Amino acid sequence: GWPWKCFEYLPKAIQMSLLDMMATNKPPKWAPIGRMFAAFRGHKSSINALAYKWDPSAASSRHILFSGSGDETIRVWDVEENKCVQEMEKAHNGYVSSLLCVDDYLISGSFDRTICLWNVHRRSLIKSIKAHAHCVNSLFLHDSGVVLSGSWDGHIRVWDLRGKAGDKGYVQILKVPDAALCVVGKGNDVFCGLHDSSIVGLDLRTGGHRDTFMGHSSYVTALHLANVELFSASADGSVRLTDTRTGNGRTVLDTGLSCFSVHHRVDGPTRWVVSGHSDGTVRLTNVITGSVVKEYPSAKEGQVFALVADTPGLLIAGHKDGSITCWGTLPHPEPTPEELLRFSRTRKLMAVVLQKVYRGHAGRRVYVLHRNIAATRVLQRVWRGHGGRTRTHAQCRVAAPLFSVSKGGGGVSI
């Protein structure tokens, strides 16, 4: 971007001073600690895709992980309880290659040439679409709300899965010169990593070819777009950074070990890349210096095919041997008022209040047991009245009006 353009005109001494400030070997604050807290096994083949979702509406499983595998199944995992809670109905007859969570929907792509739309909460199939003439390799959510799919047939299709595109489902087709292995986009720009080791830039409005970026010596496996800079991973073991406006690129990391996933993160003035490699290790690399500051190892046979690295303090990797490993700690963000209001309207966060009334000699007491996961706090106040009578009043603050239980009403009042 323009700050780096200005950086080139600074004196060499100032450039080196600024680089020293940004070059740190201290892991960023969002990086998970090097503790593996969970390991899942259940799939019979490689884990090709992962999708993580924080679901405050769920009564139990709030940290949900969806995994797509080469055994043609999609499983649902409770990361907090470290167990598989469901195997979704079989809808694909080929490798599940990609997963994407969009609001209350899960979208899956497969080598059987189809794209399936699922309901996240019911975990049921909504519809299956014959998407491409060959395997579906990649899915990406565009900032306009449409979904991009890349395929071995050399096409990128633009989908409006909410039904506005009619029966065919897609609204546009972009042609690329080789098999599309991965695709990202923002605004009018779409970038696609190809099997011939190149990256092509396309115009989403016209569908025309705009740029071609070279630098890798083997097929491109993953892309991450950060403003005007494009991070790419390849089977040649390298992670490259390319300026999409000028075409200039450089190698950030080169391990010689095939890399299948890449994510870009920022921590203050320092920028980082998280990448998964064929030796089963996830590496955290400083973009400025190219130094690996932290490694997250796993089994040697467990090549990292899928990676979740966009949640602070949490890192999840899917491996070739069918296992899933988790490092760090689970986040517990507070639901926003809008989320609380939306879920309360759908009766997903209604309080469950159990009342047990015991009558004694001196008076009457009311006990309240509250199990609402969205309540921020429970306030209990005890007033003592005449004759030694005791009243316990509990208020549960939720997005909807206050629920109150008291002796006077003889029940629950709102």
Side-chain angles (χ1 to χ4, degrees):
W2 66 265
W4 293 104
K5 201 67 178 178
C6 298
F7 179 80
E8 297 176 357
Y9 296 98
L10 294 175
K12 194 66 176 180
I14 297 180
Q15 288 185 16
M16 297 304 297
S17 177
L18 291 174
L19 287 175
D20 289 339
M21 292 173 59
M22 293 184 290
T24 175
N25 289 326
K26 182 179 179 181
K29 297 177 181 178
W30 51 262
I33 59 176
R35 180 178 65 89
M36 184 187 301
F37 70 89
F40 308 137
R41 287 189 178 273
H43 286 290
K44 299 177 182 178
S45 186
S46 60
I47 306 296
N48 305 318
L50 294 173
Y52 172 78
K53 182 176 179 61
W54 159 252
D55 186 8
S57 67
S60 55
S61 303
R62 288 175 286 171
H63 298 277
I64 297 297
L65 179 69
F66 297 94
S67 60
S69 172
D71 61 11
E72 305 177 357
T73 64
I74 299 174
R75 287 179 178 259
V76 186
W77 305 85
D78 186 333
V79 182
E80 195 169 12
E81 298 294 331
N82 194 6
K83 65 180 181 180
C84 178
V85 296
Q86 184 178 347
E87 180 178 323
M88 302 179 74
E89 64 178 287
K90 185 174 174 58
H92 292 295
N93 294 314
Y95 276 40
V96 180
S97 58
S98 51
L99 293 174
L100 188 63
C101 273
V102 183
D103 297 330
D104 294 334
Y105 300 100
L106 176 71
I107 306 172
S108 60
S110 171
F111 278 15
D112 64 1
R113 311 175 186 181
T114 64
I115 292 176
C116 289
L117 183 65
W118 308 79
N119 184 296
V120 168
H121 301 293
R122 298 178 181 177
R123 295 165 192 169
S124 59
L125 179 65
I126 298 175
K127 62 181 176 181
S128 178
I129 305 170
K130 183 66 178 297
H132 286 272
H134 213 302
C135 305
V136 178
N137 293 320
S138 175
L139 294 174
F140 180 79
L141 178 64
H142 192 266
D143 55 4
S144 65
V146 297
V147 174
L148 309 177
S149 65
S151 169
W152 274 97
D153 62 10
H155 292 89
I156 298 172
R157 293 199 176 189
V158 184
W159 301 87
D160 185 353
L161 297 177
R162 298 178 181 178
K164 298 179 181 180
D167 295 335
K168 62 181 182 180
Y170 63 88
V171 294
Q172 192 175 358
I173 300 179
L174 308 178
K175 175 68 176 176
V176 293
D178 201 355
L181 303 185
C182 48
V183 59
V184 295
K186 184 177 182 180
N188 295 321
D189 298 321
V190 174
F191 301 96
C192 182
L194 304 182
H195 188 263
D196 65 3
S197 75
S198 67
I199 302 172
V200 295
L202 305 169
D203 191 316
L204 185 59
R205 293 172 299 182
T206 64
H209 183 276
R210 181 179 292 176
D211 299 295
T212 300
F213 307 127
M214 305 299 294
H216 290 291
S217 59
S218 185
Y219 57 91
V220 181
T221 57
L223 296 174
H224 186 105
L225 184 61
N227 295 323
V228 297
E229 294 181 325
L230 183 65
F231 292 86
S232 58
S234 172
D236 63 9
S238 67
V239 175
R240 288 183 59 84
L241 169 61
T242 304
D243 189 320
T244 59
R245 295 182 299 178
T246 64
N248 296 329
R250 64 181 179 89
T251 300
V252 176
L253 174 67
D254 191 357
T255 61
L257 302 167
S258 297
C259 181
F260 301 100
S261 52
V262 63
H263 291 267
H264 170 254
R265 298 292 300 272
V266 176
D267 182 38
T270 311
R271 303 158 65 203
W272 304 89
V273 161
V274 185
S275 54
H277 298 263
S278 60
D279 62 347
T281 302
V282 178
R283 291 175 170 84
L284 178 62
T285 307
N286 188 313
V287 174
I288 302 298
T289 64
S291 59
V292 179
V293 300
K294 198 168 186 63
E295 293 185 348
Y296 302 90
S298 60
K300 293 184 179 180
E301 300 298 327
Q303 301 180 26
V304 180
F305 280 173
L307 194 61
V308 174
D310 53 0
T311 302
L314 179 65
L315 187 62
I316 305 175
H319 302 273
K320 181 182 178 180
D321 61 1
S323 65
I324 301 172
T325 52
C326 306
W327 294 273
T329 56
L330 289 173
H332 292 277
E334 291 291 336
T336 63
E338 292 77 11
E339 289 176 328
L340 293 177
L341 183 58
R342 177 164 63 92
F343 290 128
S344 63
R345 284 176 178 173
T346 56
R347 302 183 65 182
K348 294 177 181 176
L349 294 182
M350 295 296 290
V352 179
V353 181
L354 302 179
Q355 297 185 58
K356 296 182 180 180
V357 178
Y358 301 88
R359 296 182 180 276
H361 296 287
R364 175 184 177 189
R365 293 182 181 180
V366 177
Y367 297 84
V368 179
L369 173 62
H370 186 271
R371 293 179 53 202
N372 182 9
I373 62 172
T376 54
R377 65 173 179 262
V378 176
L379 303 177
Q380 293 188 342
R381 298 177 182 177
V382 178
W383 293 274
R384 294 189 176 275
H386 299 285
R389 301 164 68 89
T390 302
R391 175 191 300 175
T392 301
H393 182 271
Q395 291 182 329
C396 304
R397 218 175 89 188
V398 295
L402 292 179
F403 293 86
S404 61
V405 181
S406 65
K407 170 192 168 183
V412 181
S413 59
I414 299 178

